[in-house]
Structures are given as C-alpha cells and as structure tokens.
Amino acid sequence: MIIEEDIKLDFKDVLIRPKRSTLSSRREVDLNRTYRFKYSKLEWTGIPIMAANMDGVGTWDMARELAKQKLFTCLVKSYNIYDWNHQSKSIDYNHFAISVGTGDFDKLDIVMNSHPEIKFICIDVANGYSEHFAAFVEKVRNAYPDKTIIAGNVVTADMTQELILRGADIVKVGIGPGSVCTTRVQTGVGYPQLSAIIECSDAAHGLNGHIIADGGCACPGDVAKAFGAGADFVMLGGMFAGHDEGGGEVKDGKVTFYGMSSDTAMDKHHGGVAEYRSSEGRTVSIPHKGQIKNTVLDLLGGIRSTCTYVGASTLKQLSKCTTFIRVNRQINDVFLK
C-alpha cells in the first residue's frame, strides 16, 4: 500500500484569476484550433469540443448539428454497418469518429472497408490500464496507419505516454468524473480531473500527442478550466444530453440519461449486467433542453468570456494565460450553509 501526499485538484477546487486584457469584446476571441496529429499526420481545424459516445449524446443528428458549429462527435459504439451505410454520408468526416471497444475489431474492419473516408477511430473502454487494451490500440494502429486514433480512458502520465507510444494520436483522460458515472463510488478508483488533465497533457505534449478531457464538466466555466489546464479537446456527456438531437422520449418535460456502464445501458446493449461485474453508472431524468444549438452558443460564449478575463485572444493562448487559484472549500462550505 502506498499513499501519495501531493494535493490533487478537481474543477471545483480552483478558480481562474483575472488578468489585465487588451480585448474589448468577446467577439475578438477565436476558439478554433488547428492540430496536426502524431501518427496520422492529419491536420484538423475546428472548435475542440466533443460530444461523448453515449446514448442520447453521440448520435447522427448530434454529429450533423455540431459539425455546423465546427464541433466534433464521437458516435456511439452500438451503430452497426447498416447504420453506417445509411447515415454516414450525410455528415462531415472531419468532425466525427467511429467508436469501438476491444471486442469490435471485426466490425471496425467491415465499416472501414466500406467507408475508407472515415478519418477518426475512437477506442473506448472504462479501464485503459490493461495490457489487452494497449495491445488493441497497437493492433488498430498497424491496421490503419493513416487514421487518427483516440484511445482511453486513463488518468496518469505514465499510461498516457504508453498509449501514445502504442499508436494513439489522442488520449482520453478521465476515470469517474462524469455526472452519471459511479465508478468512484462502486470501486474507489479515480483521480481528480483537473490534476489528471494537467499531468496527462504535459506527458502527451512531450511526445507530440494530444489529450481529451473526458468528464466532470457541469458548466461552461468547467470547460474553460479544462482548456486552461492544458486539454487539447474537451468531451461532454451530461452537458450535451437531453437535447432534441440526442433522441429519446420526452415525458413530462424530462429525458432519460444514463451512463454507459449502468444497468440501463447493459440491459439495452448486452442483455443485462454480467454476473462477474456490477453497474458503474446511474440512470437519471434530466430536463428536456430543446435544440443543441442554443446550448452550444451559451457554452462558446462562456469560454470567450473566460478568454477576455485573462487576455487570451485565441483558445490556444488560454492555457498560457491561466493562473489557477485554489479555493478554500472548508470556508466555502461554511458560507454555503
């Protein structure tokens, strides 16, 4: 048993300190980024915010709408070859990824052979620390040397480096911070998300790789903090759930949203929770939010405002302009009571 004494931080543990700025309007802030990925050599330009590959979030309709705003979508794993043949031609291949698990190589091969124009592959598992997962990333890299590979999830610098060395262009960072994830409660495993972003981004950038901050963002300010901490992309689940584009039945003004390791997801996609495992997600009812466009405009407006507070004229400059202030949570708790 080892105890690490270093302080680790979550989004709620910090605020961003304002700085003198020459910007006079949010309109002056450019949120587009251009990245060139390590292995695929693909150059990508857009606003680096992603819809998570979750039911009710990573849908075709969501991908079509977000692409109009230059945002990205990781599509759900459950789409089959029929879905790809009938839906994929209607969306921008620069702004979505096919998502697969480690047991989906045959499906991936069929889809990629039918749609070689696909540019991004997201290899998604809850626990990215197994040798089996790292080997699968390497297998996909060898099979598709010119594709941009997203792989995760991990939360530490060493495994971030390992996945990049195995062939990942982008590493997905986050274990347990999501609004409908119960991994930390069910297993006791996790890592404060802000510190994970800081440490994993530093490790990835040293190898010319990139990271996605996946989970834990509940408001535009959290997204700004993730970018300020060094994230190249920020992935959103709960913030993008509950919209028209996510599908799902609206009942009494509510929409059902659930984690992809929840009982609901397991029943839907796998016929139930296997005897050897437990649910690590929850199912909740959230307000129906209407069109995603309105949420995106509010989100981007918040990030632009952050940039004006710290003098960053571009999103790229935000991390260089960010100084985090640790919040005394004990004092805050007293005031909140």
Side-chain angles (χ1 to χ4, degrees), residues 31-253:
L31 297 182
N32 287 284
R33 292 293 311 265
T34 297
Y35 297 121
R36 185 176 176 83
F37 299 116
K38 180 180 177 70
Y39 292 106
S40 69
K41 308 304 180 185
L42 173 70
E43 189 171 278
W44 180 89
T45 298
I47 297 176
I49 294 174
M50 295 179 160
N53 54 319
M54 303 176 70
D55 289 351
V57 180
T59 65
W60 298 111
D61 287 341
M62 186 71 75
R64 278 187 280 267
E65 190 59 36
L66 291 184
K68 296 177 184 177
Q69 307 291 329
K70 298 184 179 180
L71 275 65
F72 197 94
T73 301
C74 288
L75 293 160
V76 294
K77 297 179 188 176
S78 55
Y79 286 139
N80 57 34
I81 186 62
Y82 177 86
D83 299 320
W84 281 96
N85 288 340
H86 287 78
Q87 297 277 0
S88 63
K89 294 180 181 179
S90 63
I91 56 178
D92 185 345
Y93 283 90
N94 288 310
H95 292 280
F96 75 88
I98 179 175
S99 297
V100 296
T102 55
D104 296 331
F105 187 83
D106 289 342
K107 183 183 84 170
L108 174 65
D109 205 39
I110 293 171
V111 173
M112 296 302 290
N113 285 332
S114 300
H115 302 277
E117 60 271 32
I118 293 173
K119 299 179 180 180
F120 292 86
I121 300 170
C122 177
I123 308 171
D124 175 66
V125 299
N127 175 13
Y129 282 80
S130 71
E131 172 59 26
H132 174 69
F133 176 66
F136 186 80
V137 172
E138 190 170 18
K139 178 179 180 180
V140 174
R141 168 54 63 205
N142 291 334
Y144 305 103
D146 62 337
K147 305 302 180 183
T148 300
I149 295 177
I150 301 166
N153 282 30
V154 299
V155 289
T156 53
D158 59 341
M159 203 62 199
T160 298
Q161 293 171 328
E162 176 71 12
L163 292 180
I164 292 172
L165 293 173
R166 291 292 189 105
D169 295 285
I170 312 169
V171 175
K172 203 143 66 78
V173 174
I175 292 180
S179 61
V180 287
C181 181
T182 60
T183 295
R184 295 179 181 180
V185 175
Q186 193 70 12
T187 70
V189 175
Y191 207 95
Q193 185 69 348
L194 187 75
S195 288
I197 295 166
I198 293 170
E199 295 168 21
C200 293
S201 64
D202 181 65
H205 296 163
L207 293 175
N208 295 320
H210 297 81
I211 72 156
I212 300 167
D214 177 18
C217 291
C219 59
D222 290 341
V223 179
K225 290 175 185 178
F227 282 126
D232 301 295
F233 295 85
V234 177
M235 179 173 278
L236 302 177
M239 286 183 68
F240 280 173
H243 293 89
D244 295 339
E245 294 81 2
E249 180 183 0
V250 180
K251 187 175 182 180
D252 298 326

Side-chain angles (χ1 to χ4, degrees), residues 270-288:
H270 305 288
V273 181
E275 291 183 356
Y276 58 83
R277 62 175 298 171
S278 65
S279 167
E280 292 182 24
R282 60 195 185 104
T283 302
V284 298
S285 292
I286 61 175
H288 176 236

Side-chain angles (χ1 to χ4, degrees), residues 328-337:
N328 189 325
R329 288 171 59 188
Q330 288 183 330
I331 293 177
N332 277 356
D333 290 343
V334 170
F335 282 122
L336 289 173
K337 290 178 181 179

Side-chain angles (χ1 to χ4, degrees), residues 21-23 26-31 307-308 310-318 321:
S21 173
T22 60
L23 298 172
R26 295 174 180 86
R27 190 181 296 110
E28 300 175 40
V29 177
D30 183 6
L31 297 182
C307 290
T308 62
V310 300
S313 61
T314 66
L315 186 60
K316 181 178 180 179
Q317 294 175 354
L318 181 55
C321 296

